[in-house]
Amino acid sequence: MKDLYKIHEIARLFHLHPDTLRYYEEKGLLHPVRGESNYRMYTIQDICTLNVIRSLRELSLPTEEIRAYLERRSVAETLNFLDRQEALLEEKLAALRAAGQEARQRRARLERYRTVPEGQVRLTEEPARPYVFLQENVILEKEIDFLLKKLEGQHQDYIKVIGSQTMGAILDGGSLRRGIWNHFSCVFFLTPSGGPQDALLPPGRYAGLFYRGGYDHLNQHLETLFRGVRDLGLIPAAPPLELYRIDVHDTRHESEYVTELQVLVND
């Protein structure tokens, strides 16, 4: 058996790129000797050390922490490090459980809204709903996705564009009064209790309807909604809002989009 191994032999053994081994050397994790023509040569001890490095990298530990452990490695230090490893694994398990819950909630949303009847005005009692929002003077329909992504970036520990949170936009009341139906005052995400919030959507009675397809016929759906409100003898008390139940993040087929319009109403 050889005492020394070339960098390409070690790279093949561990299914690594040679540049990765050079990076570990640069960070002080490996210390190969230099052979003829100044080639890097690795010992059996380097192979054992690389086993440890690969194991710790699977936990996403930074190289500085790995180097510190390697330098003071002992049975007592390894036992202490196992406490750290168990805590990291518990964090990963918690993250996986949360991701599983997120996937189940997203599935439930798609299954619920893919078959809802459209165009039917109905009344619902809504509680106060906390939300975070991003407000602009006038938001055009084509800007909504950009601004929702921007808003997600401000709350990335809590909300995701592709997730279980409900996202939407509030139409601009002033524009509506001038007959302009595709201007919005803000975009928002509804947030769970205990999460971040900028304000509350007011509780009360809402008239609403679902519509399928793209957003270029929003004016027709708004007319249907307002006509239904009048027929019920009610008065809109705030600008309508859109809730994106199924959108481009869920399907490439525009005909499968499902949007809910809601408007707070009074007698």
Side-chain angles (χ1 to χ4, degrees), residues 43-100:
T43 66
I44 292 296
Q45 183 60 50
D46 290 318
I47 293 175
C48 294
T49 300
L50 194 51
N51 283 329
V52 176
I53 294 170
R54 289 294 300 275
S55 176
L56 299 182
R57 289 295 286 170
E58 289 175 358
L59 296 173
S60 302
L61 291 176
T63 55
E64 294 79 7
E65 190 169 343
I66 295 174
R67 184 181 68 247
Y69 167 69
L70 292 173
E71 290 173 351
R72 58 176 186 263
R73 187 169 32 146
S74 66
V75 171
E77 188 65 30
T78 297
L79 287 171
N80 290 334
F81 200 86
L82 285 172
D83 292 336
R84 165 84 165 128
Q85 182 175 355
E86 289 174 5
L88 288 171
L89 289 172
E90 285 298 326
E91 291 178 8
K92 288 181 176 289
L93 286 172
L96 287 172
R97 286 191 289 268

Side-chain angles (χ1 to χ4, degrees), residues 11 15 31 49 58 89 147 159-160 178 187 245 256:
H15 304 288
H31 305 281
T49 300
E58 289 175 358
L89 289 172
L147 293 174
I159 58 178
K160 297 177 182 178
R178 297 194 302 274
V187 299
R245 301 303 191 180
E256 294 183 323

